[in-house]
Amino acid sequence: MIEVKNLNFTYGKGSKNSLTLKDINFTINKGEIFGFLGPSGAGKSTTQKIIIGILKNYLGSVKVMGKEVRNVKEDYYEKIGVSFELPNLYSKFTASENLSFFRGMYKGETEDINKLLAMVNLENYSNKKVSDFSKGMKMRLNFCRAFLNNPEIIFLDEPTSGLDPLNAKNIKDIILQKKEEGKTIFLTTHNMNVAEELCDRVAFIVDGRIKLIDSPRNLKIRKGSKNIKVEYKEDGVIKEEIFTMESIGCNNDFLKIIKEKKIERIFTMEATLEDIFIEVTGRSLS
Ligand code: ADP
Ligand code: MG
């Protein structure tokens, strides 16, 4: 669905080291949720803006559904859905007036506005002016915009940012539901939980470069250190010891504890995606 080859981009004239994006390569398959994970300023939103055809003076090739986005026309926007990082809504309009206005831009079939508002728990606020909305409500309304034209490919920039846990969970569920329906989703985030829970594959991006692309599961198996923590009780006190998983069956210290102590808990200690991000890139996500 999306094929990015040797993508380089700069906002200014500048030299090679002022490039915002440096030799970006990836492909996204139909029905996949692909996550762009990286700290603020890494180039996530810039990449999204290039793929959706807003920034055109890039080097390399960016093809969506077989077409180079540098040359796309209006009809491209009939097929994709976008929600930007910062809500761009008309604050003097109500929620439903906003969606009606944006819906009017599409030639093809569009979704029912009340259905979209209900999807993000805003059904009781459809006649309220956006100027009276909280930041989270604006984010949820902005999220709806991406689905007005029932698009095949959906671009979501930091979709859960500024949302309370319940609404964030709802947004994540909607994204998974869209994947079930066969939609392709490009998601940018600096939130490792979002990446871990939703993405089939993630790209780690730092300073305009992709450091690695893999599934969260593979990353955890291949990268994160594999340790076992044993908690046991001795003289009424809980004690703990950590062992590496490798050759655990021949580890006499481990076996001795298992045989002789009163075991309370044994568990594997998994690295989080954030731990792995730091290990791979040397940078933190915040
Ligand atoms: P992210 O979404 O990963 O936080 P961005 O893609 O927004 O990162 O930004 C990447 C880099 O490009 C940052 O250094 C940012 O300051 C710069 N940048 C973003 N937008 C512009 C712009 N319109 N003009 C100049 N520089 C920009
Ligand atoms: Mg961004």
Side-chain angles (χ1 to χ4, degrees):
M1 285 302 252
I2 300 175
E3 206 176 2
V4 176
K5 278 191 189 151
N6 306 325
L7 169 63
N8 285 275
F9 178 81
T10 175
Y11 281 104
K13 287 189 179 118
S15 61
K16 179 91 181 167
N17 24 359
S18 75
L19 282 172
T20 305
L21 300 177
K22 301 155 194 158
D23 283 322
I24 301 278
N25 287 281
F26 62 89
T27 52
I28 306 179
N29 305 314
K30 181 174 162 46
E32 188 173 34
I33 303 180
F34 188 88
F36 239 46
L37 183 67
S40 177
K44 304 182 295 295
S45 298
T46 303
T47 307
Q48 173 171 312
K49 284 179 191 156
I50 290 171
I51 306 175
I52 64 176
I54 290 182
L55 299 172
K56 292 194 187 282
N57 56 335
Y58 59 86
L59 296 174
S61 167
V62 179
K63 286 185 179 168
V64 180
M65 292 174 281
K67 292 207 177 104
E68 188 66 44
V69 294
R70 197 183 276 116
N71 310 319
V72 293
K73 303 265 156 36
E74 294 288 289
D75 65 330
Y76 181 51
Y77 297 96
E78 296 286 327
K79 295 174 205 137
I80 66 167
V82 181
S83 92
F84 292 95
E85 187 172 9
L86 299 172
N88 40 359
L89 302 158
Y90 291 96
S91 52
K92 288 187 177 155
F93 285 2
T94 65
S96 73
E97 282 166 353
N98 264 282
L99 291 186
S100 298
F101 174 76
F102 293 119
R103 187 171 70 163
M105 293 178 168
Y106 295 107
K107 294 196 189 81
E109 257 179 55
T110 47
E111 293 281 347
D112 178 66
I113 283 171
N114 291 321
K115 190 182 116 187
L116 290 177
L117 288 171
M119 175 177 89
V120 296
N121 306 320
L122 285 177
E123 65 272 34
N124 296 329
Y125 301 92
S126 62
N127 296 320
K128 205 176 162 91
K129 277 191 184 153
V130 167
S131 53
D132 295 331
F133 273 24
S134 69
K135 180 168 183 278
M137 288 164 82
K138 285 181 195 164
M139 287 295 295
R140 280 141 63 197
L141 183 59
N142 189 55
F143 179 80
C144 286
R145 276 190 65 181
F147 301 93
L148 279 167
N149 54 333
N150 192 17
E152 277 309 304
I153 308 181
I154 302 149
F155 295 88
L156 302 170
D157 198 348
E158 306 279 0
T160 63
S161 123
L163 297 186
D164 60 273
L166 223 58
N167 276 303
K169 164 91 171 69
N170 182 47
I171 295 291
K172 286 186 273 189
D173 287 343
I174 297 166
I175 295 170
L176 289 172
Q177 173 64 35
K178 295 295 165 186
K179 176 192 157 68
E180 287 295 303
E181 292 169 16
K183 311 290 190 190
T184 306
I185 295 148
F186 179 84
L187 184 109
T188 81
T189 184
H190 67 279
N191 182 316
M192 60 133 186
N193 292 319
V194 171
E196 193 164 342
E197 288 168 40
L198 299 182
C199 297
D200 296 299
R201 286 186 301 145
V202 290
F204 284 179
I205 176 167
V206 169
D207 296 334
R209 270 186 210 284
I210 290 183
K211 300 287 180 182
L212 163 161
I213 300 176
D214 208 338
S215 68
R217 187 189 143 78
N218 272 349
L219 286 172
K220 289 187 143 194
I221 293 172
R222 286 200 347 229
K223 299 268 176 202
S225 64
K226 293 178 193 70
N227 293 326
I228 289 181
K229 191 177 197 172
V230 183
E231 285 180 8
Y232 59 94
K233 218 171 194 170
E234 197 174 55
D235 305 329
V237 183
I238 305 273
K239 297 193 172 170
E240 60 172 53
E241 288 209 37
I242 295 169
F243 299 97
T244 123
M245 196 107 98
E246 214 167 282
S247 314
I248 189 84
C250 310
N251 185 324
N252 286 329
D253 295 336
F254 172 76
L255 294 173
K256 193 163 186 287
I257 290 179
I258 296 289
K259 275 182 205 146
E260 296 173 7
K261 306 289 181 195
K262 186 174 180 308
I263 306 295
E264 295 267 314
R265 294 201 295 171
I266 299 182
F267 49 93
T268 56
M269 292 167 65
E270 273 207 326
T272 65
L273 209 53
E274 175 138 36
D275 295 334
I276 299 165
F277 190 92
I278 293 166
E279 191 182 315
V280 170
T281 68
R283 294 276 296 272
S284 88
L285 276 168
S286 44

